Amino acid sequence: MTTLILGGGVTGLAAAWHLQQRGEAVEVWEAAPTVGGWMKTLPWEGGHIETGPQGVLWQPGTAVDRLFTAIGLPFKSPGTGARWVGKGGHLIPVPAAPPALLISPLMSLGTKLRMMLEPFVKVRPAEPEEGLSAFIARRLGPGVATDLLPAMVAGILAAPPELLSIDAIPKLRQWEAQGSLFNGIRKSGVSHMVVPEGGMGQLPIKLAEHLPVVRTGLRAERLEALPGRRWRVSGGGEVREPERVVLALPAFEAALLLGPVAPGSAAALGSIPYTSVDLWHSRHAPLPHLKDSFGFLIHPPEGQGYLGSLVPSWMDPQTAPAGVMQLRSFIGGAFGKPADLEAWEGVQTRLRHWVPALSEASAVRHEYAERAIPRPEQGHRARVAAGLEALPTGIDWLSNARFGPGVRDILEGLEAWV
Ligand SMILES: Cc1cc2nc3c(=O)[nH]c(=O)nc-3n(C[C@H](O)[C@H](O)[C@H](O)COP(=O)(O)OP(=O)(O)OC[C@H]3O[C@@H](n4cnc5c(N)ncnc54)[C@H](O)[C@@H]3O)c2cc1C
């Protein structure tokens, strides 16, 4: 074996798959009993829940498409569902196309007019690193940064955009580099949310099937440098001495292993904060306007810890038995969790504030996603660069904290990396 990959989440497995395609002998170690990391589909009363991603953004001819095709992963798209932002006490539709934006009550007329000027805003060099809110205010105007951005970012990173670096959503800078966001989006085309047949958890399962050695229930505990540019990794009574070790781990886990061999790298990666979030899955009688929609996000100052709810039974009908609407509500994150949102009763009360016609839940399930989402705060670029620069030869670190938060970002980042 030439490369040992630590971490059998989607990052580690997809990295292993790429290396294997290049003819390298790879082995993957995963600490949990099953592969997937946050990408797992768990059975639930005649359907299932996702522990992490609900879907992945797909387009023909992209990294996601190439990987799905190469491993023979069938997938489907629910199409374009309605979506809303909860603001001013009501759910306001988010227009799918720019013309509808002009008559949307989501933003003031001044904000909309300022947005239209985006193609004429000068492109700024990538350095110095800009804040996410400042970037959006500069390109689309302060109204978008304060009225629309917070709910969108809460739906991806469960954190307020004022805290975050532009590197939190790398696509934005990539689009700007093409002249303007409008131009970048136009050139890259429309992405569709897709879900593999059987749920997101099928992606890591299928990847693992294509790999020769994936060990589960095996946590790497120690990393040591050996003479002759080799490494020793040990854990769970097993020892390997590969030429290369890839840490496909959250930054805080990578930092633990790197401490003794690369303290500078460990300190930089260990300083990247992560966000925890509570997820409530619930089943209800279908509501005509909600059942075929993506769901809604709440403007954070109004949500006060309730970030919004998605409709997984629309994204993937196998999620729930026929005639049942399944919701997934997001609580807390970097906004904190008020006491009333500790229990389902409080979550349901908040849900009904926005969707008064919602029936009493027929089934409820709670999951706590601890330190599940990286929080690329301002200064993130320097932390990642310092972490990577101080890595010894033969060690690499791959993560959504490096490539971007979504599965699409990871798979695109890995193609460039490999
Ligand atoms: C609630 C939630 C919703 C999300 N929704 C979406 C979405 O809709 N769309 C989207 O594109 N993305 C979404 N994401 C993001 C996406 O799921 C993640 O970016 C991605 O799954 C991260 O994968 P990873 O392999 O980098 O990390 P992880 O999934 O964290 O995998 C790391 C793996 O390393 C293992 N490990 C840790 N330490 C060791 C060790 N010492 N030795 C061996 N193994 C170890 C862990 O057990 C874990 O399996 C969501 C994430 C969450 C949490």
Side-chain angles (χ1 to χ4, degrees):
M1 179 232 327
T2 50
T3 304
L4 179 62
I5 298 200
L6 306 179
V10 66
T11 303
L13 294 168
W17 183 84
H18 277 294
L19 293 179
Q20 189 194 233
Q21 294 299 301
R22 291 196 340 184
E24 280 195 38
V26 289
E27 179 171 332
V28 180
W29 283 16
E30 165 52 50
T34 53
V35 292
W38 286 108
M39 194 181 282
K40 287 196 182 86
T41 305
L42 305 180
W44 186 40
E45 302 189 15
H48 62 239
I49 60 158
E50 300 288 0
T51 58
Q54 206 65 59
V56 53
L57 286 169
W58 168 92
Q59 243 182 300
T62 56
V64 174
D65 186 43
R66 281 189 284 277
L67 183 69
F68 282 20
T69 306
I71 64 172
L73 184 69
F75 61 91
K76 59 196 171 198
S77 171
T80 318
R83 55 189 72 198
W84 296 268
V85 165
K87 206 157 173 269
H90 305 284
L91 294 184
I92 305 171
V94 180
L101 202 61
L102 290 174
I103 50 163
S104 162
L106 205 52
M107 288 173 283
S108 71
L109 180 64
T111 297
K112 289 173 201 162
L113 292 175
R114 170 63 185 80
M115 242 181 113
M116 296 300 143
L117 297 177
E118 197 275 333
F120 308 102
V121 175
K122 226 174 112 205
V123 176
R124 198 180 263 189
E127 299 293 343
E129 176 187 357
E130 212 173 357
L132 178 55
S133 280
F135 174 95
I136 292 296
R138 176 171 65 77
R139 293 229 56 98
L140 292 160
V144 176
T146 51
D147 296 348
L148 194 55
L149 183 69
M152 300 299 164
V153 174
I156 302 171
L157 291 155
E162 316 81 74
L163 268 188
L164 302 177
S165 153
I166 181 59
D167 288 6
I169 306 185
K171 271 275 170 256
L172 292 172
R173 242 173 12 100
Q174 294 165 15
W175 286 330
E176 184 190 36
Q178 303 195 44
S180 70
L181 296 179
F182 283 163
N183 204 32
I185 293 169
R186 190 180 54 78
K187 278 191 184 160
S188 39
V190 181
S191 293
H192 303 276
M193 181 71 91
V194 301
V195 188
E197 292 289 347
M200 287 303 298
Q202 289 303 312
L203 171 56
I205 289 173
K206 197 84 178 173
L207 277 167
E209 282 170 11
H210 280 75
L211 296 168
V213 193
V214 178
R215 298 287 309 271
T216 51
L218 191 52
R219 172 178 287 277
E221 286 155 5
R222 196 174 152 84
L223 181 60
E224 295 162 84
L226 299 177
R229 293 183 162 228
R230 289 190 85 86
W231 291 92
R232 178 179 291 144
V233 180
S234 40
E238 301 267 352
V239 179
R240 299 287 183 281
E241 294 185 355
E243 283 166 27
R244 194 146 69 122
V245 182
V246 172
L247 309 174
L249 305 173
F252 53 89
E253 293 279 9
L256 287 179
L257 287 168
L258 288 168
V261 292
S265 186
L269 297 186
S271 70
I272 296 176
Y274 277 67
T275 301
S276 306
V277 67
D278 280 84
L279 305 164
W280 287 91
H281 306 270
S282 57
R283 295 226 172 119
H284 306 266
L287 285 172
H289 70 294
L290 198 58
K291 74 176 176 41
D292 297 324
S293 81
F294 180 84
F296 54 87
L297 297 167
I298 308 297
H299 187 53
E302 283 185 50
Q304 295 184 357
Y306 168 50
L307 308 182
S309 299
L310 303 184
V311 188
S313 49
W314 166 74
M315 291 184 214
D316 179 0
Q318 291 172 325
T319 304
V324 175
M325 180 175 73
Q326 188 160 314
L327 301 184
R328 185 198 205 192
S329 301
F330 292 76
I331 305 294
F335 299 94
K337 186 173 49 169
D340 69 308
L341 294 178
E342 290 288 350
W344 168 247
E345 289 64 33
V347 177
Q348 183 161 267
T349 303
R350 296 289 197 97
L351 249 165
R352 282 182 161 161
H353 170 77
W354 298 99
V355 188
L358 191 71
S359 70
E360 192 78 24
S362 58
V364 174
R365 176 164 168 171
H366 173 243
E367 302 275 324
Y368 180 54
E370 191 172 6
R371 291 211 281 180
I373 306 168
R375 198 164 65 241
E377 293 186 353
Q378 299 202 29
H380 185 70
R381 193 177 300 166
R383 282 187 281 275
V384 170
L388 292 175
E389 272 160 28
L391 284 175
T393 307
I395 305 284
D396 211 339
W397 169 66
L398 307 175
S399 159
N400 53 1
R402 173 173 171 180
F403 296 130
V407 179
R408 174 177 68 168
D409 301 306
I410 296 171
L411 297 184
E412 286 179 359
L414 283 176
E415 271 197 358
W417 169 79
V418 83

